[in-house]
Amino acid sequence: METKTSHIVFLTPGFAKSETDSTTIPALQVYLKSLKLILPNTQLTLITFQFPFSNKPYKWHGINVIPLNGKNEYLKKLWTWKKALLALNKIHLKNPITTVHSFWIGECSLIGSRFSKKHNIKHITTVMGQDANLNNSYVKPLKNSDTKIVTLSKNHNTTLFKHYKLDSVIIPWDLDSTTFPELQESTIDILGVGSLNKVKNYSVFMTIIANLVKTNPNLKAEIIGEGSLRVLLEKQIEFLKLKNNITLIGQLPRQAVLKKMSQAKVLLHTSKYESFGYVFLEALYSGMQIVSFDVGIAQSIETWRICDFEKEMLETLKNILNDPKTPNKQRVSLNKYDSGIQSYLKLYNE
């Protein structure tokens, strides 16, 4: 379905620094590549506020990218916003903007809302994560505005409404299934994927593994990701005597992550909060089973066990690992989460 929109400008805090950067907001990359293919005659421009650390415009899969080089520096924030408005005005004069689509309720939604209101342009904001939680001062400009707000899952939608009484339409991310490697025999028992931060809750991951090792001494677990808690997690691994059982892999390119998933049996996701959880789609399509809390797009199916407590996670994993009748790996797609881009096209066309 071709959109009536002739020029969409996207606003985001960060974006891939090149076509080879596969780790910076993968879901957004998949979405924009698909959108470019579906709308070959629509001009797509992206302004990225903080990352990459460059001010040199570049092309990304045919999309014009304008980096503002904010570098996440607080003292540069107002100047970055001014540059964003200047860039938007310059773009609008050259090729009139018909839709502004901002990501996160934050500086991008603030600038997008301000510019769109002034020029009577459609504004869409996609809530991306913890911006739906309490104490987000950027929510106020969106109240009583014409901005169309998008959340990523039912849980996400509920969180935003609970905290701010903001209505939103749920539009999930799509999965690009063409990039996945062949399924392989499981050589990794339990895999964790995600930044090493408080939200991902990896200290719980460690204690669960420590208890599993008591009955499964040869258990092999790996965690893919980097973050501020790496040193603490390394100390926890040493304290719990798990050096032979848990390996912190660090950050990997996305294709390497997918390869690891194809070799793993269970995704253990101990995160306390997710807006969507793109890793869930990837794990299911990689033939993995999932054990998680009720976060993001969590869905109780045969290969996905949703738990309420840490102890329940432990018992569930014991059953999976010790079940002699574990079925062969099969790809699983959550079909109702396969039409995200079509939903966005409807918004662009309204």
Side-chain angles (χ1 to χ4, degrees):
M1 178 177 67
E2 183 63 78
T3 180
K4 300 172 187 175
T5 299
S6 59
H7 190 184
I8 308 171
V9 174
F10 302 93
L11 307 180
T12 175
F15 194 65
K17 60 186 176 182
S18 68
E19 292 183 2
T20 60
D21 176 1
S22 61
T23 60
T24 305
I25 321 178
L28 180 56
Q29 290 191 40
V30 170
Y31 173 71
L32 291 175
K33 280 193 279 189
S34 299
L35 192 66
K36 184 65 179 175
L37 289 173
I38 291 173
L39 305 178
N41 300 319
T42 297
Q43 178 72 34
L44 304 180
T45 304
L46 186 143
I47 299 175
T48 176
F49 285 46
Q50 305 298 335
F51 180 86
F53 299 155
S54 166
N55 55 16
K56 185 178 179 181
Y58 58 98
K59 286 270 191 181
W60 184 87
H61 295 285
I63 298 173
N64 294 316
V65 181
I66 302 170
L68 302 180
N69 198 30
K71 294 185 177 180
N72 297 311
E73 295 178 7
Y74 181 78
L75 295 177
K76 291 179 65 176
K77 192 172 286 287
L78 290 178
W79 174 234
T80 301
W81 295 356
K82 184 177 180 180
K83 286 198 295 182
L85 287 169
L86 288 171
L88 283 165
N89 282 313
K90 185 177 179 181
I91 292 167
H92 193 50
L93 283 173
K94 185 177 180 181
N95 187 356
I97 301 167
T98 45
T99 298
V100 174
H101 188 169
S102 58
F103 292 88
W104 278 273
I105 297 180
E107 58 182 356
C108 294
S109 65
L110 174 68
I111 298 304
S113 180
R114 185 178 299 176
F115 179 83
S116 299
K117 184 177 181 180
K118 180 179 178 180
H119 295 278
N120 194 27
I121 294 169
K122 181 183 300 179
H123 180 219
I124 298 166
T125 290
T126 298
V127 192
M128 293 285 279
Q130 295 188 68
D131 42 337
N133 286 331
L134 287 170
N135 301 319
N136 185 346
S137 60
Y138 290 101
V139 168
K140 190 174 180 180
L142 296 181
K143 292 203 170 188
N144 302 315
S145 76
D146 293 329
T147 298
K148 192 71 175 181
I149 300 174
V150 176
T151 44
L152 304 176
S153 66
K154 185 177 180 181
N155 279 331
H156 200 205
N157 175 282
T158 300
T159 299
L160 183 68
F161 188 80
K162 175 184 175 182
H163 290 157
Y164 299 107
K165 299 299 183 287
L166 280 176
D167 291 317
S168 63
V169 58
I170 300 172
I171 303 181
W173 292 122
D174 292 326
L175 187 69
D176 180 6
S177 59
T178 64
T179 60
F180 284 70
E182 293 294 320
L183 299 184
Q184 301 180 36
E185 184 179 350
S186 295
T187 55
I188 304 167
D189 296 306
I190 296 175
L191 187 67
V193 181
S195 299
L196 309 184
N197 57 35
K198 288 184 179 180
V199 175
K200 299 303 181 187
N201 210 18
Y202 277 119
S203 61
V204 168
F205 186 105
M206 299 293 176
T207 57
I208 288 174
I209 299 300
N211 280 293
L212 283 173
V213 166
K214 294 175 183 178
T215 53
N216 299 72
N218 297 319
L219 182 78
K220 182 178 181 182
E222 296 185 1
I223 296 175
I224 301 171
E226 273 297 346
S228 58
L229 296 185
R230 183 181 180 104
V231 173
L232 287 176
L233 292 175
E234 288 174 339
K235 289 180 179 179
Q236 191 175 6
I237 288 172
E238 186 174 355
F239 176 76
L240 294 172
K241 297 181 172 57
L242 296 174
K243 283 188 175 182
N244 294 328
N245 302 103
I246 299 181
T247 304
L248 299 182
I249 301 296
Q251 185 170 311
L252 293 176
R254 185 162 180 270
Q255 282 306 119
V257 175
L258 296 182
K259 185 175 181 180
K260 284 282 187 183
M261 285 185 164
S262 72
Q263 300 167 342
K265 187 172 187 177
V266 182
L267 175 76
L268 173 57
H269 199 74
T270 51
S271 180
K272 296 179 285 186
Y273 175 86
E274 291 288 346
S275 57
F276 183 74
Y278 202 67
V279 68
F280 294 143
L281 293 186
E282 294 172 324
L284 290 173
Y285 200 75
S286 296
M288 298 178 70
Q289 298 188 59
I290 300 175
V291 176
S292 78
F293 294 122
D294 186 9
V295 295
I297 57 167
Q299 189 175 143
S300 184
I301 56 177
E302 185 179 358
T303 54
W304 192 341
R305 278 79 157 189
I306 300 170
C307 302
D308 293 321
F309 309 103
E310 178 182 339
K311 185 177 180 181
E312 186 181 356
M313 279 187 163
L314 174 61
E315 294 305 316
T316 301
L317 286 165
K318 282 182 180 178
N319 291 335
I320 293 173
L321 294 174
N322 299 322
D323 184 0
K325 298 180 181 179
T326 300
N328 293 329
K329 282 184 158 185
Q330 291 186 344
R331 298 196 188 279
V332 175
S333 295
L334 299 181
N335 293 330
K336 69 176 184 177
Y337 290 108
D338 285 343
S339 58
I341 197 163
Q342 295 300 324
S343 297
Y344 272 119
L345 289 177
K346 289 178 183 177
L347 283 189
Y348 297 151
N349 277 322
E350 284 180 354

